[in-house]
Amino acid sequence: MARQALTPREDRQVFTLPLTIRDEHIDENGHVNNVVYVGWLQEAGTAHWNSRFSAEDRARWSWVALRHEVDYFRPLPPGATVVARTWVGDPQGPRFARYVLIEDGEGRLCAQGLSEWCLVDAETLRPHRIPPEMVRPFEA
């Protein structure tokens, strides 16, 4: 049984990213393949991060995925309009949960995801506690 639909937090800014369904995304069942959704979780999170932080910050820090979880509600056929809406949770040391809703052009929920990311120093790749100033750009 699918989980209940995620609801964006009121204290978090929700970032919206249009997505494109490409021919290679369509599987033998005639809809977007499940694996594509994991890529979209990463694409939405990366775009959100890039939109809030300078090139200097992005060069200093990197993110490593620890896990992805996806719930599927409605198939996306070829040519559908798709958007991702994403926001972050509360930091837990070096970990940050990111939530993503994948919706069609009519605003219907097609899938949702939860990704857990670990902040690392880009040079050493060692985990680093998420500083409070890194959370502020994601607040509503």
Side-chain angles (χ1 to χ4, degrees), residues 46-61:
T46 300
H48 192 193
W49 165 254
N50 289 344
S51 74
R52 298 296 176 262
F53 292 88
S54 68
E56 182 179 299
D57 287 331
R58 294 191 319 264
R60 179 176 180 205
W61 302 110

Side-chain angles (χ1 to χ4, degrees), residues 3-70:
R3 291 186 176 204
Q4 187 173 12
L6 296 170
T7 303
R9 289 176 48 164
E10 290 185 16
D11 65 335
R12 292 291 189 247
Q13 180 263 346
V14 176
F15 179 79
T16 302
L17 178 71
L19 300 170
T20 302
I21 298 174
R22 297 192 301 265
D23 291 343
E24 62 268 21
H25 291 166
I26 304 303
D27 64 17
E28 58 276 352
N29 295 319
H31 56 72
V32 173
N33 187 278
N34 297 354
V35 174
V36 173
Y37 289 87
V38 174
W40 283 346
L41 297 183
Q42 182 167 327
E43 187 177 336
T46 300
H48 192 193
W49 165 254
N50 289 344
S51 74
R52 298 296 176 262
F53 292 88
S54 68
E56 182 179 299
D57 287 331
R58 294 191 319 264
R60 179 176 180 205
W61 302 110
S62 188
W63 294 94
V64 175
L66 301 175
R67 75 183 191 90
H68 300 291
E69 179 180 308
V70 181

Side-chain angles (χ1 to χ4, degrees), residues 1 20 28 30 60 73 86 96 111 132-133:
M1 177 148 96
T20 302
E28 58 276 352
R60 179 176 180 205
F73 295 98
T86 185
F96 226 156
E133 61 271 13

